């Protein structure tokens, strides 16, 4: 399939993004399905793709031009990642490149001028690869229960604790980490946590990859911190307000992942439609059967609707809308997009029948990555609970 053939009038997107989308589709032709299947099977970081993506300028696209970036928007970034996912790269590809971009909104909003000067120019080339350290063994969905602690010292902070599921820790060189700096209070659960930027090669940090079921091109790791000393300039933003600073990145992360989900679903619909036309059983293409057609068509409809919602949520986010309603809208986009993507991937599993289990087609890989998106970075249950509370004013349930 050529880059032009892939450009079908498929899902709602901004006309202004078409050029960017075409450029990404062109780049992705060098990274066909075999490439992603082999990264997954070999548990191998896609270095070649990462270099090509960075050389094309996409890695630093939302960094202001003054710091050597592309000065682009989240909408454009979401379009780029959707095309990466939609070319069959799915999460194996997207996670490799979105990880070092996710912390940027927090740094841009809350970093000091010196921190921005020091870190931002090193992102577009891939030299600086920052991972996200929030989740802990006893604090996943409920972040406020993190036990990693940072205590002040004469020259900075001493940090001790453990993070889990840190994606990219084997490849990255820094971790943006959330630690408790003041004991948790039931009255203000989000207060008392701070954000730090740590070097992953610190001798007091130990990294251990978690053997996992899917998305193996990027390892997710346990990270153990044993009295790690950092200077005071490694604190990002105000002490005790790190959780709130993180939200600048988390809403953006959800929107980017929602956009990736649309790409994943689009790929699944596309390959299912093709296979439905080509595969002949009982002397006719299987796509003639409504039992095959309807799940694909239904997923396509859901993806079209979700895509509109993702665009709306991105517009609101970019117009600096704040308050509970933006969180609700972002979560709605995330839930709609990931559910639609999983429905599409599930339809692909059934359409390909036994061949969905043959690695060569990549169906089961994409299906399991679509399933992952319903759980991480935020589970769809928690997203719904937040919508219920903030948008529908139901009693808080979490
Ligand atoms: C492959 C992978 C990569 C990841 N990468 C990172 C990373 O780079 N950095 C990072 O910090 N984290 C990362 N995570 C962690 C991820 O964000 C968490 O797994 C996720 O937030 C869910 O947390 P948990 O697994 O601890 O689930 P738990 O909090 O244990 O919850 C288990 C289940 O119970 C449900 N549940 C819990 N409470 C409620 C409630 N009140 N109402 C309804 N349902 C509820 C949840 O929705 C979930 O389905 C990653 C996870 C995976 C699997």
């Amino acid at each position: 399939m050529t880059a032009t053939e892939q450009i079908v009038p498929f899902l709602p997107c901004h006309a202004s993004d078409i050029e960017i989308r075409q450029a990404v589709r062109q780049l992705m032709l060098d990274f066909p399905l075999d490439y992603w299947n082999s990264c997954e099977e070999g548990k191998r970081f896609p270095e070649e793709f990462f270099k090509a993506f960075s050389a094309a300028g996409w890695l630093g696209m939302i960094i202001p031009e003054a710091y050597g970036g592309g000065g682009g928007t989240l909408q454009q970034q979401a379009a780029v990642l959707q095309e990466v996912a939609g070319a069959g790269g799915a999460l194996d590809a997207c996670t490799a490149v979105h990880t070092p971009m996710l912390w940027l909104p927090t740094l841009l909003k809350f970093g000091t001028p010196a921190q921005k000067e020091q870190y931002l120019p090193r992102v577009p080339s891939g030299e600086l690869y920052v991972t996200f350290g929030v989740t802990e063994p006893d604090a996943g969905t409920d972040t406020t229960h993190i036990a990693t602690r940072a205590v002040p010292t004469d020259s900075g902070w001493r940090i001790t604790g453990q993070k889990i599921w840190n994606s990219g820790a084997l490849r990255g060189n820094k971790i943006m980490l959330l630690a408790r700096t003041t004991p948790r209070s039931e009255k203000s659960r989000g207060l008392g946590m701070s954000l730090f930027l740590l070097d992953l090669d610190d001798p007091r940090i130990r990294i251990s990859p978690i053997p996992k079921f899917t998305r193996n091109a990027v390892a997710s790791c346990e990270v153990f911190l044993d009295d790690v000393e950092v200077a005071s300039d490694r604190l990002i933003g105000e002490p005790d307000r790190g959780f709130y600073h993180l939200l600048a990145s988390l809403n953006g992360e959800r929107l980017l992942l929602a956009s990736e989900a649309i790409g994943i679903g689009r790929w699944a619909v596309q390959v299912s439609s093709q296979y439905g036309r080509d595969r002949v059983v009982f002397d006719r293409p299987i796509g003639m059967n409504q039992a095959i057609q309807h799940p694909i068509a239904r997923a396509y409809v859901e993806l079209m609707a979700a895509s509109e919602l993702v665009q709306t949520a991105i517009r609101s986010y970019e117009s600096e809308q704040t308050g509970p309603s933006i969180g609700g809208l972002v979560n709605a986009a995330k839930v709609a997009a990931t559910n639609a993507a999983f429905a599409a991937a599930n339809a692909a599993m059934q359409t390909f029948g036994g061949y969905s289990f043959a690695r060569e087609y990549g169906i089961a890989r994409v299906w399991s990555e679509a399933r992952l998106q319903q759980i991480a970075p935020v589970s769809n249950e928690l997203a719904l609970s937040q919508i219920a509370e903030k948008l529908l004013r139901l009693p808080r349930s979490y």
Side-chain angles (χ1 to χ4, degrees):
M1 209 180 311
T2 70
T4 326
E5 274 168 343
Q6 285 178 38
I7 300 165
V8 283
F10 215 59
L11 292 167
C13 69
H14 278 269
S16 59
D17 296 339
I18 293 290
E19 247 177 66
I20 291 180
R21 286 176 183 266
Q22 280 175 326
V24 180
R25 286 177 188 204
Q26 194 62 44
L27 180 138
M28 292 307 288
L29 291 180
D30 292 337
F31 302 97
L33 200 56
D34 287 355
Y35 178 79
W36 299 112
N37 291 342
S38 79
C39 288
E40 171 66 29
E41 282 161 44
K43 299 182 173 37
R44 189 175 75 79
F45 187 87
E47 287 295 346
E48 304 80 5
F49 164 68
F50 185 78
K51 280 197 186 89
F53 188 89
S54 147
W58 306 127
L59 210 50
M61 66 185 297
I62 63 151
I63 293 177
E65 286 170 11
Y67 296 104
T73 61
L74 185 97
Q75 180 196 303
Q76 292 169 331
Q77 199 184 13
V80 166
L81 290 170
Q82 190 172 102
E83 294 309 322
V84 169
L91 288 193
D92 272 329
C94 288
T95 311
V97 291
H98 75 207
T99 299
M101 302 198 273
L102 294 179
W103 74 301
L104 293 173
T106 297
L107 182 71
L108 284 167
K109 215 162 174 180
F110 302 104
T112 62
Q115 285 171 329
K116 291 182 200 173
E117 203 66 58
Q118 187 180 358
Y119 300 123
L120 290 173
R122 294 162 57 202
V123 175
S125 66
E127 181 203 335
L128 180 64
Y129 192 111
V130 177
T131 68
F132 235 45
V134 179
T135 309
E136 297 187 2
D138 293 322
T141 306
D142 185 359
T143 305
T144 68
H145 272 104
I146 58 168
T148 296
R149 275 176 47 76
V151 292
T153 62
D154 290 344
S155 57
W157 300 85
R158 184 181 305 118
I159 304 173
T160 304
Q162 182 191 348
K163 294 291 169 184
I164 197 165
W165 292 117
N166 181 234
S167 295
L170 285 185
R171 172 61 176 70
N173 36 32
K174 289 205 174 8
I175 178 171
M176 185 171 79
L177 174 132
L178 191 68
R180 199 154 264 297
T181 34
T182 300
R184 185 177 185 277
S185 129
E186 212 39 63
K187 263 202 220 142
S188 47
R189 292 191 270 179
L191 275 179
M193 292 173 273
S194 308
L195 278 176
F196 299 92
L197 193 63
L198 310 187
D199 297 330
L200 280 165
D201 65 359
D202 188 300
R204 293 189 161 271
I205 292 184
R206 188 165 61 83
I207 299 169
S208 172
I210 304 168
K212 69 180 190 306
F213 163 56
T214 190
R215 215 219 54 205
N216 278 306
V218 180
S220 297
C221 306
E222 289 181 280
V223 176
F224 301 90
L225 306 112
D226 179 16
D227 285 342
V228 179
E229 303 269 355
V230 289
S232 53
D233 65 358
R234 293 302 186 93
L235 175 76
I236 297 177
E238 282 179 58
D240 285 343
R241 300 199 62 83
F243 179 73
Y244 299 110
H245 297 342
L246 197 60
L247 293 181
S249 279
L250 296 189
N251 277 336
E253 176 186 36
R254 283 171 203 185
L255 289 170
L256 293 180
L257 268 77
S259 186
E260 292 170 6
I262 301 289
I264 288 175
R266 194 184 72 192
W267 180 84
V269 167
Q270 190 144 308
V271 295
S272 301
S273 306
Q274 186 68 50
Y275 196 75
R277 284 193 291 272
D278 294 346
R279 175 73 172 167
V280 174
V281 180
F282 295 115
D283 299 324
R284 58 189 199 151
I286 56 167
M288 276 182 82
N289 303 305
Q290 289 183 342
I292 292 292
Q293 285 183 0
H294 284 190
I296 304 171
R298 200 175 298 120
Y300 178 44
V301 171
E302 285 166 14
L303 282 165
M304 290 168 93
S307 188
E308 288 285 6
L309 188 50
V310 171
Q311 300 288 344
T312 304
I314 289 176
R315 264 198 309 278
S316 301
Y317 174 85
E318 293 208 301
S319 64
E320 297 272 329
Q321 195 183 314
T322 50
S325 63
I326 184 64
L329 191 55
V330 166
N331 279 329
K334 193 266 175 189
V335 170
T338 55
N339 285 347
F342 185 68
N346 215 22
M349 287 293 283
Q350 209 63 25
T351 303
F352 277 73
Y355 289 92
S356 60
F357 289 85
R359 287 190 191 276
E360 149 187 22
Y361 293 95
I363 305 296
R365 174 176 70 81
V366 171
W367 173 79
S368 59
E369 292 185 358
R371 187 67 183 84
L372 169 62
Q373 283 203 311
Q374 293 177 309
I375 295 170
V378 64
S379 74
N380 284 3
E381 289 81 27
L382 257 289
L384 288 172
S385 297
Q386 202 262 355
I387 291 167
E389 182 202 355
K390 304 287 186 196
L391 298 187
L392 306 178
R393 298 201 205 151
L394 286 161
R396 185 181 168 103
S397 67
Y398 55 98

